[in-house]
Amino acid sequence: MSRPIVSVLIPVYNAEKYLREAVDSILVQTLSDFELIILNDGSSDASHSILSEYEAKDVRIVYKNFTQNRGLPSVLNDGIKTARGKYIARMDQDDISLPTRLQEQVSWMEAHPEVDICGAWVELIGSTQSGGWQHPVDHASIHARMLFSNAIAHPTVMMRADSMRNKALLYDENRIYIEDYELWSRALEKIQFANLDKILLRYRIHSQNTGVKYRNEQIVGHEPIYRRLLDPLQMEYTTQELALHQKIANMQYETSLSFLYHSYLWLAKISRANRKVQMLPLSILDAELNSHWLQIYRCVFPQSVSDGSLAYGIFQPLHKKIIKFAHKLLYLVAPGVNSK
């Protein structure tokens, strides 16, 4: 049997409601040279009967039915080991890949052999929430965004199979709910990432999404990921600073001068550390830090920054004056704070 160009992995758990749409969106791809590996992780609904029906109809489907629930990272690792394709593509049980998705990603990966993981932009469907996710497209910008949040939409990724295996880049089976972000955090310094700057997947929002249902577990689980991503900056930081980083990353802003002030100090500290070790191009990381600073600033002073003032950044003189003013106010309220 010849090796397919792509192995598509779809993990499934109690997915009967949207499963046909997801599977069909792969079967009608303009690129037909693929195998579709469907991993049924102990579903108790009608998923098994639906998938058995598909398996009988299309020889490209490799159906693995696990009688007990193993968890997403475990079944994905099983899929990676099973896959025969040059590339491994991810897909979720409730999303919809656009018809040209595989063709466009394969063509791009063939033209960019230096990149091992390629994602894409997504359109949000299934709720009143509109819009989508337009993640950074180049590796350095993705790395900068990863310091705060996941910058690769998991169900859009296409991975170079040999690179993932040769560099032992499998999912950590103890990191349920954050398995993708955790894997990317380990992979960042070993391989190159990219995102295509176009929508190739429709991502369904509903109450059973991992990011909705297990949001608190994700936030708690992100702490060791932040540590791993910050450590190459070779700076010392306190438990309080890491907790502040986590608040900034998850947009858990406080509308206080104290939060504004300490956020400024923390973001500036990251920038200074990067200037010393040159982990990332200065302009790219500072642009990422500026975007977080602006959001915090607008939360504390919602009337003072109009949409036309987005050029203000963490190192702009106007903001330095505001920070000094905020610092003096803090000193008046809490004299123990160093006012220099």
Side-chain angles (χ1 to χ4, degrees):
M1 185 181 296
S2 62
R3 184 187 189 189
I5 188 71
V6 183
S7 296
V8 182
L9 306 185
I10 303 184
V12 172
Y13 180 69
N14 292 343
E16 61 182 1
K17 187 173 182 180
Y18 305 115
L19 188 53
R20 290 185 184 277
E21 282 185 272
V23 173
D24 286 343
S25 77
I26 297 298
L27 296 181
V28 300
Q29 289 288 304
T30 55
L31 183 149
S32 61
D33 183 17
F34 64 81
E35 63 176 354
L36 174 55
I37 302 173
I38 306 178
L39 308 148
N40 186 14
D41 192 17
S43 296
S44 58
D45 64 357
S47 294
H48 174 60
S49 61
I50 293 171
L51 295 173
S52 297
E53 173 190 328
Y54 274 98
E55 182 187 24
K57 291 180 179 179
D58 198 313
V59 296
R60 296 173 298 178
I61 293 177
V62 178
Y63 177 42
K64 304 192 75 171
N65 183 39
F66 304 108
T67 56
Q68 293 185 333
N69 182 262
R70 297 170 49 177
L72 181 57
S74 176
V75 297
L76 285 176
N77 284 340
D78 189 287
I80 290 173
K81 294 169 185 175
T82 301
R84 296 182 300 114
K86 178 179 180 180
Y87 300 105
I88 297 174
R90 275 282 290 110
M91 171 70 184
D92 279 348
Q93 62 187 20
D94 47 6
D95 296 333
I96 300 171
S97 285
L98 297 190
T100 62
R101 177 200 162 182
L102 297 183
Q103 183 69 64
E104 295 198 48
Q105 285 187 293
V106 166
S107 296
W108 195 92
M109 293 285 275
E110 291 286 287
H112 297 83
E114 74 282 3
V115 172
D116 290 304
I117 294 182
C118 172
W121 291 356
V122 307
E123 174 190 356
L124 301 179
I125 62 172
S127 75
T128 56
Q129 185 177 358
S130 61
W133 299 333
Q134 297 184 358
H135 292 310
V137 297
D138 64 278
H139 179 81
S141 298
I142 290 169
H143 191 164
R145 180 68 51 84
M146 286 281 193
L147 294 180
F148 295 90
S149 61
N150 193 345
I152 299 284
H154 198 191
T156 72
V157 297
M158 181 171 285
M159 304 177 281
R160 210 172 291 274
D162 289 344
S163 294
M164 301 299 288
R165 294 188 184 113
N166 294 340
K167 296 175 182 178
L169 292 173
L170 293 174
Y171 295 92
D172 185 335
E173 297 183 8
N174 295 314
R175 300 295 184 182
I176 299 175
Y177 312 133
I178 56 170
E179 68 285 333
D180 53 333
Y181 192 17
E182 194 281 333
L183 175 56
W184 311 153
S185 73
R186 283 186 281 120
L188 271 171
E189 294 188 359
K190 296 181 178 181
I191 61 177
Q192 292 287 308
F193 287 76
N195 279 310
L196 298 191
D197 56 351
K198 65 186 305 180
I199 294 170
L200 293 180
L201 180 128
R202 295 192 175 103
Y203 184 93
R204 194 181 304 275
I205 301 292
H206 56 83
S207 62
Q208 298 304 304
N209 285 134
T210 298
V212 175
K213 191 174 181 180
Y214 299 105
R215 180 59 176 161
N216 291 335
E217 289 85 347
Q218 286 183 326
I219 290 174
V220 172
H222 284 169
E223 180 179 319
I225 296 176
Y226 295 142
R227 288 186 182 276
R228 176 183 293 131
L229 293 170
L230 290 170
D231 282 350
L233 288 168
Q234 300 177 23
M235 64 178 183
E236 294 184 1
Y237 52 86
T238 66
T239 301
Q240 291 76 17
E241 286 175 320
L242 187 63
L244 175 62
H245 185 86
Q246 195 152 356
K247 284 187 174 183
I248 294 172
N250 291 285
M251 296 190 292
Q252 297 172 323
Y253 307 143
E254 299 172 12
T255 57
S256 67
L257 290 175
S258 176
F259 186 81
L260 177 77
Y261 168 67
H262 287 103
S263 296
Y264 176 85
L265 291 184
W266 173 243
L267 295 173
K269 183 175 182 176
I270 292 174
S271 178
R272 289 196 302 272
N274 185 52
R275 278 169 162 72
K276 289 182 180 179
V277 302
Q278 302 286 306
M279 181 181 80
L280 287 167
L282 304 184
S283 60
I284 288 178
L285 182 55
D286 283 353
E288 180 67 23
L289 298 174
N290 281 339
S291 70
H292 291 280
W293 164 248
L294 180 62
Q295 291 180 71
I296 297 165
Y297 180 83
R298 293 181 68 179
C299 180
V300 177
F301 295 109
Q303 305 302 321
S304 61
V305 180
S306 66
D307 290 339
S309 304
L310 299 185
Y312 291 143
I314 191 170
F315 306 111
Q316 293 294 326
L318 173 62
H319 278 208
K320 288 186 176 181
K321 291 179 181 178
I322 292 173
I323 286 296
K324 287 182 179 179
F325 174 68
H327 200 173
K328 289 180 180 179
L329 287 179
L330 278 172
Y331 181 71
L332 291 175
V333 174
V337 176
N338 181 2
S339 63
K340 294 182 181 178

